[in-house]
Amino acid sequence: MANFGTPSIQQREPEPARIKSVTIEGFRSLRSIQNLELPQLTVLIGANGAGKSTLIRFFEMLSWMLKAKNLQEFVLRHGGGDDQFFMGARKTSRIHAELCLETASGYNDYRFDLAHISAGDSVMVMNEAYRYSAHDIPTKAKWTEIEGVGKESSLLEKKSKTAQTIVNLLRQCSTYQFHDTSINAAIHNRWDVTESFRLRSDGGNLAAVLLDLRNGDRKRYELIVKQIGRVLPAFKDFVLEEEAGKVLLRWVGRQSDKVFGSHLTSDGSLRLFCLLTLLNLPPERLPDVLFFDEPELGLHPHAITLVAEMFKRLSKKRQIFIATQSPYLVDCFELENIIVASANNGETVLRNLPREHYQRWLDEEYQLSDIWLQQATGGVAWLGEHQPVKREGSMDAGQLE
């Protein structure tokens, strides 16, 4: 396996907060999700329309809600207030959510309700409360209620350490989706070289980030180039030239000195450039919680295996959520990482997988996707009651060495 390098800062980072569990009632297809445990590395699997992305959208909404009070803009961009409620606001009168965030010292809990406002098709934030409970105290603390209601969260105005811990984590929840590689995609544009600290959620400023790494963290940059070359043997290096304070994404191959622009690069290659760059950034240049919506799209199975190993490594520093329906990607992880999404009469059901229910199949060298694919095609459910059919060519995560 490739050497992923050593972060440029030598001092040990404080352990970041993580989302331990969540309860969601009435948000889109999530009618009732109760105390769902969220691993440090969570892989959401399910068929088309099962609701994998809905959980990601919920945390995206929280990020907008606690980032400069942009909840109403999120609602407007995502179809209006009525579309945020399970089967519409006439069917579901409120959205209720409770989150447990864990730090090194204890638990920071946050709860709130959203109600629909017919005028303007917007939402109202109601019943906000928060609390902190230390690890060594057996009972939970009492809730601190936030008075008043409004179109935006009032948690931002609270100065307590608990409120600020919750705000700082949830506002950082970032969703990465590198699907748009069309002619008008941001990745084809020239980017200001100063917009280079963090990679944008659509990967648009990739050239600026790569140029910054090449100038300031050469070993990390060379590692990215080497990893891309493992998957794309024709790739040699990026051609990053600053012109009037801007830079364009270009690269050169091994067979000739011809320089290729992003518009001459395959969709899968562009997504690979974005993923490998993001996953190799030092932790201080990443948010505490990262969401990936079908990151395997357009990638070769060998590339998927490489990316999966990088997800595992990064999860030691940051919490990661991956929504996928790729059997190759699923097989790279452990049972404890998996949350299965399924649809039941328009409702999304999310569940963890107890090892005791599935260990006998794993002992017989069945892979996770062998069981899941039976369910996705209407066959065996995730109950371990019947023997699944092994998938031909199942790929070992350690195959790419």
Side-chain angles (χ1 to χ4, degrees), residues 34-47:
Q34 299 294 325
N35 295 315
L36 180 68
E37 293 289 329
L38 300 175
Q40 181 72 9
L41 173 55
T42 297
V43 181
L44 290 159
I45 62 173

mmCIF file with all atom_site columns, all heavy atoms in Angstrom, residues 34-47:
data_model
loop_
_atom_site.group_PDB
_atom_site.id
_atom_site.type_symbol
_atom_site.label_atom_id
_atom_site.label_alt_id
_atom_site.label_comp_id
_atom_site.label_asym_id
_atom_site.label_entity_id
_atom_site.label_seq_id
_atom_site.pdbx_PDB_ins_code
_atom_site.Cartn_x
_atom_site.Cartn_y
_atom_site.Cartn_z
_atom_site.occupancy
_atom_site.B_iso_or_equiv
_atom_site.pdbx_formal_charge
_atom_site.auth_seq_id
_atom_site.auth_comp_id
_atom_site.auth_asym_id
_atom_site.auth_atom_id
_atom_site.pdbx_PDB_model_num
ATOM 1   N N   . GLN A 1 34 ? -34.659 6.752  15.120 1.00 0.00 ? 34 GLN A N   1
ATOM 2   C CA  . GLN A 1 34 ? -34.510 6.906  16.566 1.00 0.00 ? 34 GLN A CA  1
ATOM 3   C C   . GLN A 1 34 ? -33.126 6.450  17.030 1.00 0.00 ? 34 GLN A C   1
ATOM 4   O O   . GLN A 1 34 ? -32.750 5.287  16.844 1.00 0.00 ? 34 GLN A O   1
ATOM 5   C CB  . GLN A 1 34 ? -35.581 6.097  17.303 1.00 0.00 ? 34 GLN A CB  1
ATOM 6   C CG  . GLN A 1 34 ? -37.007 6.520  16.973 1.00 0.00 ? 34 GLN A CG  1
ATOM 7   C CD  . GLN A 1 34 ? -37.338 7.917  17.455 1.00 0.00 ? 34 GLN A CD  1
ATOM 8   O OE1 . GLN A 1 34 ? -36.863 8.354  18.516 1.00 0.00 ? 34 GLN A OE1 1
ATOM 9   N NE2 . GLN A 1 34 ? -38.147 8.630  16.695 1.00 0.00 ? 34 GLN A NE2 1
ATOM 10  N N   . ASN A 1 35 ? -32.381 7.388  17.608 1.00 0.00 ? 35 ASN A N   1
ATOM 11  C CA  . ASN A 1 35 ? -31.082 7.086  18.241 1.00 0.00 ? 35 ASN A CA  1
ATOM 12  C C   . ASN A 1 35 ? -30.184 6.219  17.346 1.00 0.00 ? 35 ASN A C   1
ATOM 13  O O   . ASN A 1 35 ? -29.635 5.213  17.777 1.00 0.00 ? 35 ASN A O   1
ATOM 14  C CB  . ASN A 1 35 ? -31.288 6.386  19.590 1.00 0.00 ? 35 ASN A CB  1
ATOM 15  C CG  . ASN A 1 35 ? -31.984 7.288  20.584 1.00 0.00 ? 35 ASN A CG  1
ATOM 16  O OD1 . ASN A 1 35 ? -31.647 8.457  20.734 1.00 0.00 ? 35 ASN A OD1 1
ATOM 17  N ND2 . ASN A 1 35 ? -32.983 6.739  21.272 1.00 0.00 ? 35 ASN A ND2 1
ATOM 18  N N   . LEU A 1 36 ? -30.040 6.640  16.118 1.00 0.00 ? 36 LEU A N   1
ATOM 19  C CA  . LEU A 1 36 ? -29.183 5.909  15.180 1.00 0.00 ? 36 LEU A CA  1
ATOM 20  C C   . LEU A 1 36 ? -27.721 6.169  15.526 1.00 0.00 ? 36 LEU A C   1
ATOM 21  O O   . LEU A 1 36 ? -27.261 7.309  15.535 1.00 0.00 ? 36 LEU A O   1
ATOM 22  C CB  . LEU A 1 36 ? -29.461 6.371  13.749 1.00 0.00 ? 36 LEU A CB  1
ATOM 23  C CG  . LEU A 1 36 ? -28.640 5.692  12.645 1.00 0.00 ? 36 LEU A CG  1
ATOM 24  C CD1 . LEU A 1 36 ? -29.047 4.232  12.503 1.00 0.00 ? 36 LEU A CD1 1
ATOM 25  C CD2 . LEU A 1 36 ? -28.804 6.435  11.317 1.00 0.00 ? 36 LEU A CD2 1
ATOM 26  N N   . GLU A 1 37 ? -26.982 5.101  15.833 1.00 0.00 ? 37 GLU A N   1
ATOM 27  C CA  . GLU A 1 37 ? -25.562 5.217  16.152 1.00 0.00 ? 37 GLU A CA  1
ATOM 28  C C   . GLU A 1 37 ? -24.761 5.438  14.876 1.00 0.00 ? 37 GLU A C   1
ATOM 29  O O   . GLU A 1 37 ? -24.943 4.717  13.888 1.00 0.00 ? 37 GLU A O   1
ATOM 30  C CB  . GLU A 1 37 ? -25.074 3.956  16.860 1.00 0.00 ? 37 GLU A CB  1
ATOM 31  C CG  . GLU A 1 37 ? -25.670 3.754  18.248 1.00 0.00 ? 37 GLU A CG  1
ATOM 32  C CD  . GLU A 1 37 ? -25.121 4.754  19.264 1.00 0.00 ? 37 GLU A CD  1
ATOM 33  O OE1 . GLU A 1 37 ? -23.958 5.174  19.120 1.00 0.00 ? 37 GLU A OE1 1
ATOM 34  O OE2 . GLU A 1 37 ? -25.856 5.118  20.205 1.00 0.00 ? 37 GLU A OE2 1
ATOM 35  N N   . LEU A 1 38 ? -23.878 6.415  14.891 1.00 0.00 ? 38 LEU A N   1
ATOM 36  C CA  . LEU A 1 38 ? -23.102 6.788  13.709 1.00 0.00 ? 38 LEU A CA  1
ATOM 37  C C   . LEU A 1 38 ? -21.626 6.505  13.959 1.00 0.00 ? 38 LEU A C   1
ATOM 38  O O   . LEU A 1 38 ? -20.996 7.169  14.785 1.00 0.00 ? 38 LEU A O   1
ATOM 39  C CB  . LEU A 1 38 ? -23.305 8.268  13.393 1.00 0.00 ? 38 LEU A CB  1
ATOM 40  C CG  . LEU A 1 38 ? -24.763 8.672  13.107 1.00 0.00 ? 38 LEU A CG  1
ATOM 41  C CD1 . LEU A 1 38 ? -24.865 10.170 12.932 1.00 0.00 ? 38 LEU A CD1 1
ATOM 42  C CD2 . LEU A 1 38 ? -25.303 7.949  11.876 1.00 0.00 ? 38 LEU A CD2 1
ATOM 43  N N   . PRO A 1 39 ? -21.048 5.528  13.276 1.00 0.00 ? 39 PRO A N   1
ATOM 44  C CA  . PRO A 1 39 ? -19.623 5.230  13.450 1.00 0.00 ? 39 PRO A CA  1
ATOM 45  C C   . PRO A 1 39 ? -18.736 6.391  12.997 1.00 0.00 ? 39 PRO A C   1
ATOM 46  O O   . PRO A 1 39 ? -19.188 7.305  12.300 1.00 0.00 ? 39 PRO A O   1
ATOM 47  C CB  . PRO A 1 39 ? -19.408 4.000  12.555 1.00 0.00 ? 39 PRO A CB  1
ATOM 48  C CG  . PRO A 1 39 ? -20.772 3.445  12.301 1.00 0.00 ? 39 PRO A CG  1
ATOM 49  C CD  . PRO A 1 39 ? -21.708 4.613  12.338 1.00 0.00 ? 39 PRO A CD  1
ATOM 50  N N   . GLN A 1 40 ? -17.474 6.336  13.389 1.00 0.00 ? 40 GLN A N   1
ATOM 51  C CA  . GLN A 1 40 ? -16.509 7.332  12.949 1.00 0.00 ? 40 GLN A CA  1
ATOM 52  C C   . GLN A 1 40 ? -16.374 7.310  11.426 1.00 0.00 ? 40 GLN A C   1
ATOM 53  O O   . GLN A 1 40 ? -16.199 8.348  10.793 1.00 0.00 ? 40 GLN A O   1
ATOM 54  C CB  . GLN A 1 40 ? -15.144 7.061  13.597 1.00 0.00 ? 40 GLN A CB  1
ATOM 55  C CG  . GLN A 1 40 ? -14.051 8.051  13.239 1.00 0.00 ? 40 GLN A CG  1
ATOM 56  C CD  . GLN A 1 40 ? -14.238 9.403  13.894 1.00 0.00 ? 40 GLN A CD  1
ATOM 57  O OE1 . GLN A 1 40 ? -15.101 9.584  14.757 1.00 0.00 ? 40 GLN A OE1 1
ATOM 58  N NE2 . GLN A 1 40 ? -13.423 10.377 13.493 1.00 0.00 ? 40 GLN A NE2 1
ATOM 59  N N   . LEU A 1 41 ? -16.473 6.138  10.843 1.00 0.00 ? 41 LEU A N   1
ATOM 60  C CA  . LEU A 1 41 ? -16.513 5.977  9.392  1.00 0.00 ? 41 LEU A CA  1
ATOM 61  C C   . LEU A 1 41 ? -17.811 5.250  9.066  1.00 0.00 ? 41 LEU A C   1
ATOM 62  O O   . LEU A 1 41 ? -17.962 4.060  9.350  1.00 0.00 ? 41 LEU A O   1
ATOM 63  C CB  . LEU A 1 41 ? -15.300 5.180  8.894  1.00 0.00 ? 41 LEU A CB  1
ATOM 64  C CG  . LEU A 1 41 ? -15.285 4.781  7.422  1.00 0.00 ? 41 LEU A CG  1
ATOM 65  C CD1 . LEU A 1 41 ? -15.447 5.997  6.524  1.00 0.00 ? 41 LEU A CD1 1
ATOM 66  C CD2 . LEU A 1 41 ? -13.993 4.041  7.078  1.00 0.00 ? 41 LEU A CD2 1
ATOM 67  N N   . THR A 1 42 ? -18.762 5.972  8.496  1.00 0.00 ? 42 THR A N   1
ATOM 68  C CA  . THR A 1 42 ? -20.079 5.425  8.192  1.00 0.00 ? 42 THR A CA  1
ATOM 69  C C   . THR A 1 42 ? -20.242 5.249  6.694  1.00 0.00 ? 42 THR A C   1
ATOM 70  O O   . THR A 1 42 ? -20.013 6.184  5.927  1.00 0.00 ? 42 THR A O   1
ATOM 71  C CB  . THR A 1 42 ? -21.186 6.363  8.714  1.00 0.00 ? 42 THR A CB  1
ATOM 72  O OG1 . THR A 1 42 ? -21.097 6.462  10.134 1.00 0.00 ? 42 THR A OG1 1
ATOM 73  C CG2 . THR A 1 42 ? -22.566 5.843  8.335  1.00 0.00 ? 42 THR A CG2 1
ATOM 74  N N   . VAL A 1 43 ? -20.650 4.044  6.288  1.00 0.00 ? 43 VAL A N   1
ATOM 75  C CA  . VAL A 1 43 ? -20.924 3.755  4.882  1.00 0.00 ? 43 VAL A CA  1
ATOM 76  C C   . VAL A 1 43 ? -22.416 3.473  4.750  1.00 0.00 ? 43 VAL A C   1
ATOM 77  O O   . VAL A 1 43 ? -22.920 2.476  5.252  1.00 0.00 ? 43 VAL A O   1
ATOM 78  C CB  . VAL A 1 43 ? -20.100 2.556  4.383  1.00 0.00 ? 43 VAL A CB  1
ATOM 79  C CG1 . VAL A 1 43 ? -20.392 2.292  2.906  1.00 0.00 ? 43 VAL A CG1 1
ATOM 80  C CG2 . VAL A 1 43 ? -18.609 2.805  4.588  1.00 0.00 ? 43 VAL A CG2 1
ATOM 81  N N   . LEU A 1 44 ? -23.128 4.382  4.087  1.00 0.00 ? 44 LEU A N   1
ATOM 82  C CA  . LEU A 1 44 ? -24.564 4.244  3.855  1.00 0.00 ? 44 LEU A CA  1
ATOM 83  C C   . LEU A 1 44 ? -24.772 3.520  2.536  1.00 0.00 ? 44 LEU A C   1
ATOM 84  O O   . LEU A 1 44 ? -24.353 4.003  1.484  1.00 0.00 ? 44 LEU A O   1
ATOM 85  C CB  . LEU A 1 44 ? -25.223 5.619  3.787  1.00 0.00 ? 44 LEU A CB  1
ATOM 86  C CG  . LEU A 1 44 ? -25.316 6.426  5.079  1.00 0.00 ? 44 LEU A CG  1
ATOM 87  C CD1 . LEU A 1 44 ? -25.504 7.898  4.762  1.00 0.00 ? 44 LEU A CD1 1
ATOM 88  C CD2 . LEU A 1 44 ? -26.467 5.929  5.927  1.00 0.00 ? 44 LEU A CD2 1
ATOM 89  N N   . ILE A 1 45 ? -25.415 2.356  2.581  1.00 0.00 ? 45 ILE A N   1
ATOM 90  C CA  . ILE A 1 45 ? -25.656 1.613  1.359  1.00 0.00 ? 45 ILE A CA  1
ATOM 91  C C   . ILE A 1 45 ? -27.150 1.414  1.177  1.00 0.00 ? 45 ILE A C   1
ATOM 92  O O   . ILE A 1 45 ? -27.911 1.358  2.146  1.00 0.00 ? 45 ILE A O   1
ATOM 93  C CB  . ILE A 1 45 ? -24.933 0.248  1.357  1.00 0.00 ? 45 ILE A CB  1
ATOM 94  C CG1 . ILE A 1 45 ? -25.439 -0.643 2.493  1.00 0.00 ? 45 ILE A CG1 1
ATOM 95  C CG2 . ILE A 1 45 ? -23.442 0.439  1.461  1.00 0.00 ? 45 ILE A CG2 1
ATOM 96  C CD1 . ILE A 1 45 ? -24.884 -2.044 2.436  1.00 0.00 ? 45 ILE A CD1 1
ATOM 97  N N   . GLY A 1 46 ? -27.561 1.320  -0.069 1.00 0.00 ? 46 GLY A N   1
ATOM 98  C CA  . GLY A 1 46 ? -28.967 1.124  -0.367 1.00 0.00 ? 46 GLY A CA  1
ATOM 99  C C   . GLY A 1 46 ? -29.227 1.293  -1.844 1.00 0.00 ? 46 GLY A C   1
ATOM 100 O O   . GLY A 1 46 ? -28.410 1.878  -2.567 1.00 0.00 ? 46 GLY A O   1
ATOM 101 N N   . ALA A 1 47 ? -30.359 0.795  -2.302 1.00 0.00 ? 47 ALA A N   1
ATOM 102 C CA  . ALA A 1 47 ? -30.719 0.882  -3.712 1.00 0.00 ? 47 ALA A CA  1
ATOM 103 C C   . ALA A 1 47 ? -31.109 2.306  -4.082 1.00 0.00 ? 47 ALA A C   1
ATOM 104 O O   . ALA A 1 47 ? -31.236 3.186  -3.217 1.00 0.00 ? 47 ALA A O   1
ATOM 105 C CB  . ALA A 1 47 ? -31.860 -0.092 -4.003 1.00 0.00 ? 47 ALA A CB  1
#
